[in-house]
């Protein structure tokens, strides 16, 4: 029954394939050509199916894995299973969705945050930093914010792209959420100049930390 369902779902994903979307995604390191709105519509129709999610993930296909993330039950995965999935995520979109839609909702999130944060693989470490950023915003109690700023100051400038992006997000979040560390966060951003020249579309906020922090604090004050 499940095998047939996987076959049917894979056939439907194949029908949704769009070469133009695949080309755009390819530039960002992703290897699928499915419109994400259509993918979400398919997930909504399938509803939550944990067994199907596991089978879709096992195909290794990027679109199937994104769909698996949307139809799974995040709390049904054990800690080791999530660790294996993260290390095998492959593309940036699968990695980001897995962290944001599954791991953050898992009871193992904090344990995995601590394990991944110090991982020698920079892509795995970026997941640890993403989970740390979540805690900075939502549950900072027990975090060493000064220590995090020390690490960012010493390592972000020369970190690989994915890890650098995650560290920069954490830097901005500390500056936005914690006024006592705001001046230092802005100073670190100004000196390191990470993402200073990042192309930002009109009406979007630059990921350059000093601009990001200043704009988000302004919005908070305007509310």
């Amino acid at each position: 029954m499940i095998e047939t369902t996987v076959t049917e779902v894979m056939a439907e994903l194949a029908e949704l394939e769009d070469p133009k979307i695949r080309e755009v995604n390819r530039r960002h390191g992703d290897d699928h050509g499915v419109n994400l709105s259509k993918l979400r519509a398919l997930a909504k129709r399938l509803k939550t199916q944990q067994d199907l999610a596991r089978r879709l993930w096992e195909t290794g296909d990027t679109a199937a894995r994104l769909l698996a993330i949307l139809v799974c039950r995040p709390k049904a995965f054990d800690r080791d299973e999530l660790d294996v999935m993260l290390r095998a995520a492959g593309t940036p979109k699968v990695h980001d969705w897995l962290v944001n839609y599954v791991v953050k909702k898992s009871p193992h999130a904090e344990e995995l945050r601590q394990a991944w944060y110090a991982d020698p693989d920079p892509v795995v470490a970026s997941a640890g930093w993403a989970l740390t950023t979540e805690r900075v915003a939502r549950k900072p109690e027990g975090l060493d914010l000064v220590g995090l700023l020390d690490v960012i100051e010493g390592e972000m400038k020369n970190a690989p792209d994915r890890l650098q992006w995650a560290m920069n997000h954490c830097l901005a979040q500390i500056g936005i959420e914690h006024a006592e560390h705001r001046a230092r966060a802005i100073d670190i951003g100004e000196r390191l100049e990470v993402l200073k020249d990042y192309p930002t579309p009109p009406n979007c906020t630059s990921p350059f930390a000093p601009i990001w922090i200043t704009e988000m604090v302004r919005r908070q004050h305007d509310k």
Side-chain angles (χ1 to χ4, degrees):
M1 182 71 175
I2 290 293
E3 291 293 352
T4 303
T5 304
V6 169
T7 301
E8 291 172 352
V9 171
M10 293 303 291
E12 192 159 353
L13 288 173
E15 290 177 3
L16 294 174
E17 176 76 18
D18 184 329
K20 292 180 181 179
I21 292 176
R22 177 174 286 275
E23 176 58 25
V24 172
N25 288 334
R26 184 188 64 78
R27 296 178 208 148
H28 297 93
D30 287 310
D31 60 353
H32 76 92
V34 178
N35 177 286
L36 294 182
S37 295
K38 293 181 179 179
L39 189 76
R40 291 180 186 279
L42 175 57
K44 187 174 181 180
R45 177 158 53 81
L46 291 171
K47 300 180 180 177
T48 302
Q49 297 189 53
Q50 182 65 10
D51 289 340
L52 176 61
R54 281 197 167 100
R55 298 298 184 94
L56 288 171
W57 183 271
E58 290 169 2
T59 68
D61 178 82
T62 294
R65 285 186 163 183
L66 292 173
L67 183 60
I69 289 167
L70 295 176
V71 302
C72 77
R73 284 195 301 274
K75 295 180 180 179
F77 296 107
D78 63 35
R79 183 252 187 233
D80 291 343
E81 192 173 12
L82 288 172
D83 184 68
V84 170
M85 290 170 71
L86 189 280
R87 294 175 189 280
T91 66
K93 182 67 71 176
V94 173
H95 178 276
D96 291 344
W97 279 25
L98 182 65
V99 172
N100 287 299
Y101 297 165
V102 181
V103 180
K104 285 182 180 180
K105 299 177 182 179
S106 164
H108 310 292
E110 177 58 18
E111 183 182 354
L112 289 169
R113 181 190 75 80
Q114 295 181 37
W116 290 342
Y117 172 86
D119 197 276
D121 182 332
V123 175
V124 175
S126 73
W129 276 92
L131 294 172
T132 300
T133 301
E134 178 82 355
R135 274 205 58 189
V136 167
R138 299 181 182 276
K139 192 178 179 182
E141 297 79 17
L143 283 181
D144 178 6
L145 298 180
V146 172
L148 287 173
L149 290 173
D150 289 344
V151 174
I152 292 168
E153 186 171 20
E155 301 180 12
M156 182 173 74
K157 180 74 172 179
N158 298 312
D161 288 350
R162 299 278 296 281
L163 179 55
Q164 184 184 71
W165 188 275
M167 284 183 165
N168 184 71
H169 190 180
C170 190
L171 173 65
Q173 204 68 57
I174 291 173
I176 293 164
E177 300 291 343
H178 301 279
E180 68 275 23
H181 300 294
R182 188 168 296 147
R184 186 185 175 196
I186 291 174
D187 177 65
I188 289 171
E190 288 176 342
R191 284 187 290 105
L192 299 186
E193 298 187 334
V194 169
L195 301 176
K196 183 177 182 179
D197 299 320
Y198 191 84
T200 305
N203 301 318
C204 291
T205 302
S206 169
F208 180 47
I211 294 175
W212 191 354
I213 293 167
T214 302
E215 174 61 19
M216 296 308 294
V217 171
R218 182 192 66 78
R219 292 183 192 179
Q220 291 173 357
H221 289 166
D222 288 348
K223 286 182 179 179

